[in-house]
């Protein structure tokens, strides 16, 4: 009788292997459409054709990108598709045009739109952005704004795993108007002085998780824009960069808010900021609420904890005004480490919409091995446990 369960299992396996109703994923190689792994031949059309086949398939599909270097212009991976299980498996490197002007005004290099059930696994994206950075830093004139290396827009049930993104022209990865996205094991790398090269930018999206990733870049490691809710960030290392930032918010007078954000088990090394909330100093109906920053280690960070509601770049369109964004219920828990400046905690909130429900719990930040300082303007809340610098709430 003991052999009966084993016999049933074997019969089931044989049935599945021979059944026309159980189908393996369709395997599509970009090489079959003429892609060349030589780093020189333009493989844009080959990638687009492989996507078209996968998207039109009524069964799960895997697009295979083998080892080697593939030169690509802009590729639009457009949906909706006939199946909701497409794996783009990258074992090689995708390389953007060396002349930044080719895609510099295109907004995106690689963009997925209106897709569902897409997984992007492995590989390296090389945005070759250093030429554009030099243009922006040297003259600033006649330079295109630059292309985001990878964007998912208006899409659901997305996974990005084990991807490396190097030297994007602008943002590395953008999640825009998406639901249920997991970013895991991603490595982002660009020079610390590279302009506008945010690591991962999330906006107008719900149910996004960012896990086990390392980000070093010239702007925010993670930036969180209007309309983001139910965002979970865990085990992320940041540096160089501008920290993990909610904002900037309140640029528009009518704007969706940000809520239910958890940022935990993070490290910040030599960054401009640690955990930051930033809003424009002008009228808006936006908000940021129910935010948790937990278990962060700061090493030589210029502004470890900061709320800045007087953001006004170039002092244009906002001098003399106050932020309409309402910030409430923000908790800082178990934040330890060293500040590169004497002022380690700064809450600079709106005069007309003061911050409320701010909580500091077990915070210890030092400056040159001495207790750092804290500053509060228009901020209300409580402190508990060991809090150093002494709370100004």
């Amino acid at each position: 009788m003991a052999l009966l369960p084993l016999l049933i299992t074997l019969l089931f396996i044989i049935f599945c292997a021979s059944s026309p109703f159980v189908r393996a994923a369709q395997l599509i190689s970009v090489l079959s459409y003429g892609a060349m792994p030589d780093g020189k031949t333009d493989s844009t059309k080959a990638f687009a054709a492989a996507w078209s086949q996968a998207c039109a398939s009524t069964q799960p599909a895997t697009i295979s990108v083998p080892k080697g270097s593939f030169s690509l212009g802009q590729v639009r991976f457009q949906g909706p598709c006939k199946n909701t299980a497409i794996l783009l498996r990258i074992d090689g490197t995708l390389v953007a045009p060396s002349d930044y002007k080719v895609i510099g005004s295109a907004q995106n290099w690689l963009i997925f739109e209106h897709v569902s059930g897409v997984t992007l696994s492995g590989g390296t994206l090389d945005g070759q952005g250093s030429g554009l950075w030099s243009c922006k830093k040297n003259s600033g004139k006649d330079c295109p704004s630059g292309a985001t290396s990878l964007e998912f827009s208006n899409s659901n049930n997305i996974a990005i795993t084990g991807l490396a993104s190097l030297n994007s022209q602008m943002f590395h990865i953008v999640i825009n108007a998406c639901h249920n996205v997991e970013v895991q094991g991603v490595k982002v790398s660009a020079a610390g002085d590279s302009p506008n090269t945010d690591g991962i930018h999330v906006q107008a999206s719900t149910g996004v998780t960012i896990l086990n990733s390392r980000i070093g870049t010239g702007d925010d490691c993670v930036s969180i824009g209007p309309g983001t809710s139910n965002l979970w960030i865990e085990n992320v290392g940041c540096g160089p960069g501008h920290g993990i930032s909610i904002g900037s918010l309140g640029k528009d007078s009518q704007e969706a808010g940000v809520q239910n954000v958890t940022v935990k088990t993070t490290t910040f090394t030599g960054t401009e900021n640690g955990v930051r909330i930033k809003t424009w100093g002008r009228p808006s109906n936006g908000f940021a609420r129910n935010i948790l920053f937990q278990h962060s280690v700061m090493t030589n960070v210029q502004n470890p904890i900061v709320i800045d509601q007087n953001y006004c770049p170039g002092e244009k369109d906002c001098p003399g005004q106050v932020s309409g964004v309402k910030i409430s219920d923000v908790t800082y828990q178990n934040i330890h480490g060293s500040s590169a400046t004497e002022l380690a905690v700064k809450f600079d909130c709106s005069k007309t919409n003061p911050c409320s429900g701010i909580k500091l719990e077990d915070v210890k930040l030092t400056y040159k091995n001495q207790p750092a300082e804290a500053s509060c303007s228009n901020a209300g809340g409580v402190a508990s446990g060991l809090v150093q610098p002494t709370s100004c709430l």
Side-chain angles (χ1 to χ4, degrees), residues 246 249 277-279 286-291 307-309 323-330 332 348-350 353-358 378 380:
I246 296 175
L249 306 179
I277 302 176
K278 179 175 68 170
T279 77
F287 61 84
R289 62 188 179 217
N290 194 20
I291 314 294
I307 296 177
D308 176 10
Q309 290 209 260
S323 178
V325 176
K326 176 63 178 172
I327 296 174
S328 61
D329 301 321
V330 183
Y332 302 87
D348 186 11
C349 299
S350 169
N353 293 283
C355 299
S356 62
I358 307 296
N378 310 305

Side-chain angles (χ1 to χ4, degrees), residues 136-155:
K136 289 181 176 181
K137 287 185 285 188
N138 293 335
S139 67
K141 297 178 180 179
D142 301 320
C143 306
S145 58
T148 288
S149 283
L150 174 67
E151 177 171 339
F152 280 87
S153 185
N154 294 287
S155 297

Side-chain angles (χ1 to χ4, degrees), residues 3-320:
L3 293 174
L4 187 59
L6 179 60
L7 181 61
I8 292 171
T9 301
L10 286 171
L11 288 171
F12 179 75
I13 292 171
I14 293 168
F15 168 78
C16 289
S18 60
S19 172
F21 301 106
V22 181
R23 294 172 296 182
Q26 182 181 13
L27 183 61
I28 305 162
S29 172
V30 295
L31 300 182
S32 65
Y33 284 101
M36 298 290 287
D38 58 8
K40 299 175 183 178
T41 304
D42 186 352
S43 296
T44 305
K45 290 182 178 179
F47 274 68
W51 172 258
S52 294
Q53 182 184 344
C55 188
S57 173
T58 55
Q59 67 190 77
T62 296
I63 300 172
S64 173
V65 181
K67 291 181 179 179
S69 183
F70 295 86
S71 178
L72 293 178
Q74 186 190 47
V75 185
R76 304 185 78 91
F77 300 92
Q78 196 76 36
C81 296
K82 289 187 177 180
N83 81 78
T84 55
I86 298 177
L87 168 62
L88 177 56
R89 190 181 68 222
I90 306 173
D91 294 312
T93 299
L94 311 186
V95 183
S98 56
D99 180 357
Y100 62 80
K101 293 178 183 177
V102 174
I103 61 169
S105 299
Q107 290 191 310
N108 306 95
W109 175 29
L110 310 173
I111 180 167
F112 292 78
E113 296 179 285
H114 303 288
V115 299
S116 182
V118 171
T119 296
L120 195 161
S121 177
T124 298
L125 308 181
D126 184 354
Q128 298 213 97
S130 59
L132 179 59
W133 309 339
S134 296
C135 180
K136 289 181 176 181
K137 287 185 285 188
N138 293 335
S139 67
K141 297 178 180 179
D142 301 320
C143 306
S145 58
T148 288
S149 283
L150 174 67
E151 177 171 339
F152 280 87
S153 185
N154 294 287
S155 297
N156 301 318
N157 306 323
I158 303 302
I160 303 169
T161 64
L163 175 74
S165 180
L166 310 177
N167 301 332
S168 60
Q169 290 189 358
M170 260 192 64
F171 294 3
H172 285 262
I173 300 170
V174 169
I175 309 298
N176 171 58
C178 292
H179 175 68
N180 190 22
V181 179
E182 180 174 297
V183 180
Q184 175 150 277
V186 163
K187 184 176 181 180
V188 171
S189 180
D193 62 348
S194 56
N196 306 119
T197 53
D198 293 42
I200 303 173
H201 178 72
V202 182
Q203 63 184 28
S205 296
T206 61
V208 177
T209 60
I210 301 171
L211 308 172
N212 309 326
S213 296
R214 300 293 173 263
I215 303 170
T217 190
D219 210 298
D220 294 325
C221 291
V222 181
S223 54
I224 301 158
T228 299
S229 63
N230 301 328
L231 170 65
W232 189 281
I233 299 170
E234 184 172 2
N235 191 23
V236 170
C238 173
H242 293 183
I244 294 179
S245 296
I246 296 175
S248 54
L249 306 179
K251 185 175 183 179
D252 299 322
S253 60
Q254 301 292 315
E255 188 177 271
V258 171
Q259 60 188 334
N260 305 334
V261 175
T262 296
V263 178
K264 65 179 296 184
T265 317
T266 49
T267 60
F268 299 86
T269 306
T271 53
E272 187 173 293
N273 306 287
V275 290
R276 173 171 64 161
I277 302 176
K278 179 175 68 170
T279 77
W280 285 73
R282 62 191 193 197
S284 175
N285 67 343
F287 61 84
R289 62 188 179 217
N290 194 20
I291 314 294
L292 173 62
F293 298 111
Q294 183 184 60
H295 307 319
S296 294
V297 176
M298 309 282 176
T299 303
N300 199 36
V301 174
Q302 292 181 41
N303 305 291
I305 295 175
V306 58
I307 296 177
D308 176 10
Q309 290 209 260
N310 290 290
Y311 179 63
C312 188
E315 296 299 313
K316 295 178 180 178
D317 304 322
C318 39

